[in-house]
Amino acid sequence: MLRVCLRGVKATAQKSSGRIRLTNVQQCREYTTGESSSASRVVAAGLLTVTGGIGGTIIYAKWDHKFRAAVEKNVPYSEWLLGLALGPVSQDSGLPIRKPMESIQPPSMLEKQMRTSKAKSEKKLKETTEHGAQDSGPASPQPAQNIQAEASAEATQIISAISEVQSIPAPCDTEPTAAAATVFQDTKSAGTAEPLRERSAEEVAARLAQQNQDEKDIITSLSAQLDDSLASSAKATLQAIGAQEAALQAITQHTHKLKEAMEAEGPSEEKSTQWKDLEAALADRTTSVNDAKTALVKANEALDSLKSVIDKSKGLKITAARPLILAAEENLHKMVVDLDKVVSKVQSAESEAKIVAQYTELVHEAKQQFQREVSSLTPEIQANWKGLTGKLSTDDLNALIAHAHRRIDQLNRELAEQRVQEQIHMEAALEQQRAEDQRALDKAVGTAKQHVKEEARLEQERKLAELREVIEAEMRTQLRRQAAAHTDHVRDVLKVQEQELRAEAEQELSSKLLAQETRYRQLTQEQLDDFTLDMNAAYARLKGVEEAIDSHVEAEEEARKAHRLWLSVEALTYTLKTASTESPSMPLEDAAEAVRASCVENDFALALASALPEESLKRGVYSEASLRARFNSLRSLARRVALIDESHNTLYQYFLSYVQAALLFEKQQEVPPTQLRSEDLDPFKLLSYASYCLEHGDLELAAKLVNQLRGEARRVVEDWLIEARLTLETRQVISLLSAYANAVGLGTTQAP
Amino acid sequence: MADELGRKWDRCLADTALKTVTGVGIGIVFSVLFFKRRTWPVSFGSGLGLGMGYSNCQHDFRSPYLIHGRVVKEQS
């Protein structure tokens, strides 16, 4: 659009320049031919520069807004043109201010969110502790335990959240934990639906104390129980162990005796004593084994009861009882281990004894067999064949030898068989042994595994207990810290409150005091004022009386002075009358002097007296009549030079003016209007007005009207005007003086 | 002040008359001496005289209204 405009302007410029050129050419054809092109060229160049200037201004205004504003301010119609070319001034400085405000909002909103979530979690915590306090009774320690544990968990969560809020608000960190806490609390508090009620501190403390007491009772009872069961189980276990050891002893004794009996080949009395001992030992062994068994059973029972007690106490889940439980468990484990060890020892001894017993049985059986054989061969011979060497016959001997040989053969055969079957027997025995070993191994491994498991578990429990203690201590310190912070804060708040209240009280006091004081002052002031008023009134009256008397004297004095003044003013007025028709009056010097003398202390009269113009004092003033006469002669002159003024003052104008004066006729005297209009300012009219005024004695108005003359006419009547002014001035002063004197005289005269 | 106009007129007329006559005279002289008794120097002279007189008269009447200015150098 700008280009279109420019093009249009250029086109019109070209056209106009073309036209001008044409006319120029035409003109030039008439006159000369050399100057046409230069003129047109000049015009074209001028137009080009103008358009270029305007275009440049528009482009620069588009680029620089300040320049545009300056141009619009200074050049009248530029804003219209610039608006047409570029469009209205754009407004793009308002938006960036809004953005920082928006960015400030999110952190504050997040902070608010965190604060609300924190408050919510705190409220929930209070609720849960209330619930815990409510439910804590000796009847159900379990929920209290639950709630306490969970409360402790929440407390740790909340403390972590609070610590995070105090440092740097990190919304992504606190939000999930707060949300998790709220979710957790929601799921928990859904189970206990109760209205929120604020409990007093004493109630809460009482309930907490009761809770503690209950816990302590439980712990004491538990510990008593544990101790009892531990003691009983320990006793039983010791007994069992003792019994087992006794059994073991008996078994080994018996086995040893048996071995001895088997191997020994002593005389029969010894043998019988041996066998008797053996029997006694066997009886001993059986009894001791039985005792051991019963003791073991008892010990197991006791251990089981201890285990049940431990389990029960574990079920109670009181934290303080844990170490006791742990100790009891350890003891139990130790006892079990010892018992198992002893039992295994006893079992091994028993197995050994079994082997020995088997051996003895075999031997015994062989002996029995041999006896039987011998007896079957020689029925008459008794068992005790050693003492029968002399009684035996040769047949018997031969039979015996043959039997013996046969027996030997048989035995050899058996031996060979045995040797053949040795391997198989060995393998079978090995298998048996392996199986037994395996069994024993399994059992041992099983027991060992159990023991190890138990030990590991105990270790874990111990470690857990330690850790719990540590955490408990830490939480206690944190809570203590929180409590300390709370007390500090409360202290500060109290201090501030105290200060505020004190300030308020002081302010109240001071305001009340001020009010009292002002009232007192007011009262005293009123009293003073009343007294002063009375005094003033009395004084004023006294003064009035005095003044009245003085003023009397003064008044008389004044009257005299006024009289004198009046006389002198009268004299002055009379001097005015001495003016004749042609000559001025007498100089007013003497009369003025007289007036001044008579009003020495009267500033007003003095001022007036000195206001008389110099000329009048020295030379005197003309009378009105003379002025009137003069005016008439002046009038014709003024008429004659009516057209002459600063710009029209050639002789030709003079001639015209004379002709006008000769030909123009106006009224001799005309009533002047109250308001002069512009057509009244014509010199002829003015002169007739002035003439009228003079005829009717109004010199002042005449002078005013004459003052309206301009030009040469004015110059002609200047003298007259000055004289008239002088006369008027003098007359004014004198009239003022006389009026003043009259007034003073009237004032001082007292009516009879 | 009222008489001044009359005085001016007197001066004016006297002056004009004098100048015209003087002009005529000088014209006659010139005409006789230099211009071969033509009439034009006489009319020229009389015109000259009248003109001078007229100009003087006008100047006299204008004199109260004439403003005499001076170039005052700025003292910086």
Side-chain angles (χ1 to χ4, degrees):
Chain A
M1 194 191 133
L2 179 64
R3 277 200 224 112
V4 166
C5 286
L6 277 173
R7 247 184 266 145
V9 165
K10 278 219 180 87
T12 49
Q14 296 277 352
K15 258 191 256 168
S16 55
S17 69
R19 242 187 283 130
I20 290 165
R21 235 181 281 133
L22 272 170
T23 51
N24 267 355
V25 163
Q26 278 179 357
Q27 282 177 349
C28 290
R29 272 210 208 109
E30 290 184 9
Y31 301 124
T32 49
T33 50
E35 298 161 2
S36 62
S37 54
S38 65
S40 63
R41 229 182 283 147
V42 161
V43 164
L47 275 165
L48 235 114
T49 42
V50 162
T51 46
I54 290 171
T57 316
I58 289 172
I59 287 165
Y60 190 62
K62 183 174 183 181
W63 188 61
D64 187 9
H65 286 281
K66 275 198 200 134
F67 175 72
R68 180 175 174 163
V71 162
E72 280 180 4
K73 203 167 66 160
N74 291 323
V75 179
Y77 288 98
S78 60
E79 49 194 63
W80 167 79
L81 181 70
L82 286 169
L84 211 62
L86 302 172
V89 180
S90 62
Q91 307 278 343
D92 62 341
S93 58
L95 287 174
I97 299 166
R98 298 212 192 97
K99 277 185 202 151
M101 304 230 313
E102 282 181 6
S103 67
I104 287 163
Q105 271 200 1
S108 65
M109 269 167 48
L110 283 166
E111 272 194 57
K112 240 196 285 182
Q113 278 181 10
M114 278 188 304
R115 266 196 227 107
T116 53
S117 74
K118 189 175 84 172
K120 238 200 294 177
S121 61
E122 276 188 40
K123 201 165 68 173
K124 288 269 169 60
L125 176 64
K126 201 163 207 147
E127 190 182 4
T128 55
T129 47
E130 281 165 35
H131 293 323
Q134 263 196 345
D135 295 339
S136 81
S140 54
Q142 179 148 355
Q145 196 62 21
N146 247 334
I147 286 159
Q148 263 223 332
E150 292 181 11
S152 64
E154 279 166 54
T156 49
Q157 276 185 350
I158 284 158
I159 283 167
S160 69
I162 287 167
S163 66
E164 279 186 9
V165 165
Q166 275 174 356
S167 58
I168 301 163
C172 52
D173 284 321
T174 52
E175 281 283 342
T177 53
T182 50
V183 162
F184 178 57
Q185 283 154 32
D186 278 338
T187 53
K188 208 181 67 58
S189 63
T192 58
E194 270 213 26
L196 262 177
R197 229 170 44 248
E198 183 86 28
R199 286 167 194 278
S200 57
E202 300 98 18
E203 252 191 275
V204 170
R207 284 191 193 276
L208 278 172
Q210 185 160 26
Q211 207 177 7
N212 284 343
Q213 194 60 35
D214 295 337
E215 267 185 36
K216 257 189 234 149
D217 291 340
I218 289 166
I219 285 166
T220 45
S221 73
L222 204 68
S223 62
Q225 269 184 351
L226 278 170
D227 286 339
D228 283 340
S229 49
L230 255 174
S232 65
S233 59
K235 211 165 45 180
T237 319
L238 280 171
Q239 256 184 11
I241 287 169
Q244 297 280 0
E245 289 211 337
L248 185 73
Q249 278 278 29
I251 290 168
T252 46
Q253 188 91 344
H254 177 247
T255 322
H256 186 71
K257 280 225 166 77
L258 203 62
K259 263 197 225 152
E260 268 184 20
M262 291 312 307
E263 284 159 15
E265 296 282 341
S268 50
E269 305 94 26
E270 282 188 23
K271 264 223 165 140
S272 62
T273 50
Q274 266 188 348
W275 282 116
K276 267 195 217 114
D277 282 337
L278 207 60
E279 276 177 21
L282 183 63
D284 240 349
R285 174 187 153 165
T286 44
T287 48
S288 61
V289 163
N290 286 338
D291 283 339
K293 270 210 190 75
T294 50
L296 184 68
V297 161
K298 254 192 258 165
N300 276 337
E301 265 180 31
L303 285 173
D304 284 337
S305 73
L306 177 64
K307 208 183 199 107
S308 69
V309 164
I310 285 170
D311 286 338
K312 203 168 60 163
S313 57
K314 260 203 239 173
L316 287 177
K317 285 207 178 184
I318 300 175
T319 45
R322 278 220 185 96
L324 292 170
I325 291 166
L326 208 62
E329 275 185 349
E330 278 184 2
N331 281 338
L332 173 73
H333 175 68
K334 259 189 253 159
M335 286 192 282
V336 164
V337 162
D338 288 338
L339 210 61
D340 285 342
K341 255 193 264 175
V342 161
V343 163
S344 65
K345 257 194 252 169
V346 163
Q347 275 180 355
S348 65
E350 270 195 353
S351 65
E352 222 184 278
K354 212 195 291 176
I355 291 170
V356 172
Q358 274 184 0
Y359 172 62
T360 43
E361 266 191 37
L362 272 171
V363 163
H364 201 77
E365 222 186 276
K367 261 197 192 156
Q368 291 277 357
Q369 178 87 6
F370 183 63
Q371 278 281 11
R372 255 185 274 124
E373 282 177 7
V374 164
S375 64
S376 70
L377 278 173
T378 52
E380 353 26 81
I381 297 172
Q382 283 118 22
N384 205 353
W385 56 275
K386 265 196 183 166
L388 300 171
T389 43
K391 296 182 187 166
L392 287 172
S393 62
T394 48
D395 287 333
D396 289 331
L397 278 166
N398 285 342
L400 207 64
I401 287 166
H403 175 75
H405 273 296
R406 250 184 280 132
R407 187 88 177 129
I408 286 166
D409 283 339
Q410 194 206 355
L411 285 171
N412 278 338
R413 247 182 283 136
E414 272 190 6
L415 189 66
E417 252 184 58
Q418 199 69 26
R419 263 205 207 108
V420 164
Q421 289 183 346
E422 191 185 334
Q423 191 69 24
I424 296 165
H425 285 163
M426 196 74 76
E427 276 180 9
L430 272 174
E431 277 297 327
Q432 204 184 4
Q433 193 61 36
R434 215 177 277 137
E436 266 190 40
D437 278 343
Q438 189 66 30
R439 247 181 284 135
L441 184 72
D442 284 340
K443 210 159 114 207
V445 161
T447 45
K449 201 160 66 169
Q450 224 175 354
H451 290 160
V452 163
K453 238 193 248 173
E454 193 72 24
E455 266 182 38
R457 195 179 62 81
L458 285 171
E459 187 75 31
Q460 191 188 19
E461 293 264 320
R462 224 178 296 135
K463 284 232 169 69
L464 215 66
E466 277 173 26
L467 204 66
R468 210 172 267 129
E469 269 178 39
V470 164
I471 287 170
E472 189 82 26
E474 205 176 299
M475 198 178 96
R476 236 179 247 125
T477 48
Q478 293 290 348
L479 280 172
R480 224 177 290 138
R481 220 182 276 165
Q482 194 185 24
H486 177 67
T487 49
D488 280 341
H489 169 69
V490 164
R491 205 181 299 144
D492 288 338
V493 163
L494 278 171
K495 220 183 279 176
V496 164
Q497 255 186 6
E498 186 194 328
Q499 276 175 2
E500 273 178 20
L501 286 169
R502 191 172 286 149
E504 252 185 65
E506 273 179 10
Q507 204 181 3
E508 187 85 25
L509 181 70
S510 61
S511 70
K512 284 258 164 62
L513 266 169
L514 204 70
Q516 283 291 85
E517 259 192 57
T518 48
R519 239 183 59 203
Y520 172 68
R521 270 208 210 102
Q522 223 178 353
L523 282 167
T524 50
Q525 197 65 35
E526 269 181 37
Q527 271 185 351
L528 267 169
D529 288 341
D530 291 337
F531 181 65
T532 320
L533 274 169
D534 292 337
M535 284 296 296
N536 283 344
Y539 189 66
R541 273 184 26 221
L542 180 65
K543 271 278 172 243
V545 168
E546 276 182 7
E547 268 182 35
I549 295 167
D550 286 337
S551 67
H552 258 281
V553 170
E554 266 183 38
E556 284 203 11
E557 185 72 37
E558 284 293 310
R560 239 181 291 128
K561 268 201 230 136
H563 214 67
R564 239 187 297 145
L565 180 65
W566 186 80
L567 279 169
S568 57
V569 169
E570 277 300 305
L572 192 59
T573 318
Y574 189 72
T575 54
L576 268 186
K577 293 201 179 79
T578 57
S580 60
T581 42
E582 288 307 322
S583 60
S585 65
M586 279 167 33
L588 303 168
E589 187 78 51
D590 302 327
E593 194 58 50
V595 168
R596 262 196 289 267
S598 66
C599 63
V600 176
E601 59 280 337
N602 199 339
D603 287 338
F604 182 60
L606 212 57
L608 279 175
S610 46
L612 281 169
E614 275 300 315
E615 198 63 37
S616 69
L617 289 172
K618 295 267 167 31
R619 195 202 55 182
V621 291
Y622 280 95
S623 67
E624 203 177 314
S626 59
L627 284 173
R628 212 182 312 142
R630 245 174 86 182
F631 183 72
N632 285 327
S633 61
L634 271 179
R635 187 177 169 172
S636 53
L637 195 58
R639 281 179 83 249
R640 248 183 276 149
V641 294
L643 277 179
I644 312 297
D645 62 14
E646 293 91 5
S647 47
H648 306 99
N649 52 14
T650 57
L651 278 175
Y652 182 56
Q653 296 283 348
Y654 269 98
F655 171 65
L656 285 175
S657 181
Y658 278 155
V659 167
Q660 186 189 39
L663 293 175
L664 211 145
F665 295 102
E666 81 277 6
K667 277 207 200 134
Q668 189 68 19
Q669 284 159 22
E670 202 177 328
V671 181
T674 45
Q675 262 187 348
L676 279 182
R677 300 178 301 272
S678 53
E679 57 260 27
D680 292 329
L681 293 176
D682 176 44
F684 298 100
K685 268 228 171 75
L686 280 169
L687 287 168
S688 56
Y689 289 153
S691 185
Y692 178 84
C693 292
L694 273 175
E695 286 304 310
H696 286 82
D698 193 353
L699 182 59
E700 195 184 329
L701 190 54
K704 280 186 199 166
L705 286 161
V706 164
N707 197 26
Q708 299 303 319
L709 286 170
R710 295 275 172 263
E712 187 66 33
R714 172 52 175 271
R715 282 188 61 247
V716 155
V717 299
E718 191 73 42
D719 271 345
W720 185 89
L721 206 55
I722 287 167
E723 286 297 324
R725 274 206 201 109
L726 202 66
T727 309
L728 281 166
E729 234 182 284
T730 316
R731 274 222 311 240
Q732 189 180 40
V733 169
I734 287 166
S735 69
L736 270 170
L737 270 170
S738 79
Y740 177 68
N742 284 333
V744 166
L746 269 173
T748 51
T749 340
Q750 289 175 353
Chain B
M1 201 61 91
D3 312 334
E4 196 182 330
L5 209 62
R7 277 203 290 275
K8 273 189 189 169
W9 273 118
D10 292 342
R11 272 206 307 271
C12 175
L13 285 170
D15 188 45
T16 309
L18 196 65
K19 286 204 165 54
T20 316
V21 166
T22 315
V24 163
I26 291 181
I28 288 168
V29 164
F30 268 74
S31 156
V32 159
L33 285 179
F34 302 118
F35 296 112
K36 298 172 201 151
R37 294 189 184 228
R38 298 249 188 91
T39 35
W40 67 265
V42 180
S43 48
F44 183 69
S46 72
L48 210 63
L50 257 175
M52 281 198 292
Y54 185 88
S55 181
N56 268 358
C57 203
Q58 192 165 269
H59 181 81
D60 198 10
F61 275 113
R62 265 189 187 167
S63 55
Y65 300 110
L66 284 176
I67 301 166
H68 296 101
R70 251 176 296 133
V71 174
V72 177
K73 268 211 180 130
E74 247 186 41
Q75 295 181 0
S76 53

